Amino acid sequence: MRDLKVSPIRNGTVIDHIRNGLALEVLRILGVEGLGKDSTISVAVHVRSQRMGWKDIVKVENMELSPQKANAIALISPSATISIIQDYKVREKRPVDLPDRLVGLLRCPNPNCITNQGEPVESEFEVIRRKPLALKCLYCERDLEDFIPHLAPGASGTRGNGG
Ligand SMILES: Nc1ncnc2c1ncn2[C@@H]1O[C@H](COP(=O)(O)OP(=O)(O)OP(=O)(O)O)[C@@H](O)[C@H]1O
Ligand SMILES: [Mg+2]
Ligand SMILES: [Zn+2]
C-alpha cells in the first residue's frame, strides 16, 4: 500500500500482478459496459514490481469476479492475484487458478469444429501443458496457445452464470 498508484477503494476487487500491458484485456474480460456507475474502475499500466519487473493493476469498486471471468484472467495472465476489499481492508487474497478443463470460455480456432457449427455444443478445452500454457480442444483436438483472440465474447461463456 506504500506506493499505491490509484486511490483506495472501500469495497470491491483488486486484480494485481497482471502481465505488463494486459490491463485493457482484463477490462475487456470484466465487460466494462455491463458494470454500473457505482463501479468506479481504476487502471494502472506499467507499474514497477519487485516480483515481476513491470505489471498492470485493475481495481473495480462494488464488483465481484465470477469464476468464469477469473478463469479468463488466469488464461491471459497466470501471475495475476485477486484481492477482495471490504471496508478498505484486504479480506481475501488469492492467486488466479486455472482448472484443467475450460468450458465455454474460448472459441476453437478450427472452423470445422463441431463447436463452430451453430450446434448447441459449448467449446471445451483441456490444459495439456501448464508452462507455457497450452490447451487442446476436446472435440477436434486442435491445439491452442494464443488465447486472447479466441476468448469468447465477454469471456463469460454461456454456462455457469459467468456474466
Ligand atoms: N483499500 C484498498 N483499495 C484499493 N486497493 C487495495 C486496498 N487495500 C489493498 N489494496 C490492494 O490489494 C492488493 C493486496 O493488498 P496487500 O496489502 O496484501 O498488498 P501487498 O502487500 O502489496 O501484497 P502483494 O504481495 O500481493 O503485492 C494490492 O494490490 C493492494 O494494492
Ligand atoms: Mg504489492
Ligand atoms: Zn475444436
Side-chain angles (χ1 to χ4, degrees):
M1 296 289 290
R2 194 163 45 87
D3 58 346
L4 199 64
K5 294 283 182 202
V6 293
S7 50
I9 62 179
R10 181 190 292 273
N11 294 302
T13 302
V14 175
I15 306 155
D16 196 351
H17 310 105
I18 299 166
R19 211 178 88 198
N20 191 33
L22 289 188
L24 294 182
E25 289 302 332
V26 169
L27 291 180
R28 203 166 67 86
I29 289 166
L30 295 180
V32 172
E33 329 75 50
L35 292 169
K37 290 198 201 71
D38 60 338
S39 284
T40 299
I41 303 173
S42 312
V43 179
V45 177
H46 301 161
V47 178
R48 201 80 180 97
S49 155
Q50 289 268 351
R51 210 195 302 173
M52 303 175 63
W54 301 92
K55 65 175 182 180
D56 289 1
I57 312 173
V58 171
K59 304 193 179 194
V60 189
E61 283 183 73
N62 302 311
M63 182 211 69
E64 258 183 73
L65 203 56
S66 70
Q68 192 74 321
K69 286 178 178 170
N71 287 345
I73 293 168
L75 202 56
I76 67 164
S77 187
S79 57
T81 57
I82 313 282
S83 297
I84 313 295
I85 308 298
Q86 277 171 14
D87 210 10
Y88 294 107
K89 291 197 252 319
V90 180
R91 277 281 159 254
E92 187 191 323
K93 181 168 66 180
R94 59 182 164 86
V96 291
D97 173 38
L98 199 65
D100 293 332
R101 285 196 180 186
L102 297 168
V103 179
L105 192 63
L106 291 152
R107 286 183 195 283
C108 183
N110 172 8
N112 298 319
C113 181
I114 180 72
T115 60
N116 287 324
Q117 302 305 310
E119 304 283 339
V121 182
E122 281 195 289
S123 75
E124 192 161 353
F125 284 84
E126 184 170 33
V127 174
I128 54 169
R129 193 182 62 219
R130 291 252 164 199
K131 265 188 182 174
L133 188 60
L135 308 179
K136 185 189 276 293
C137 175
L138 284 180
Y139 292 96
C140 73
E141 308 210 319
R142 181 70 68 93
D143 288 344
L144 188 57
E145 299 185 29
D146 188 15
F147 312 116
I148 290 175
H150 295 102
L151 278 175
S156 56
T158 51
R159 187 164 99 179
N161 187 26

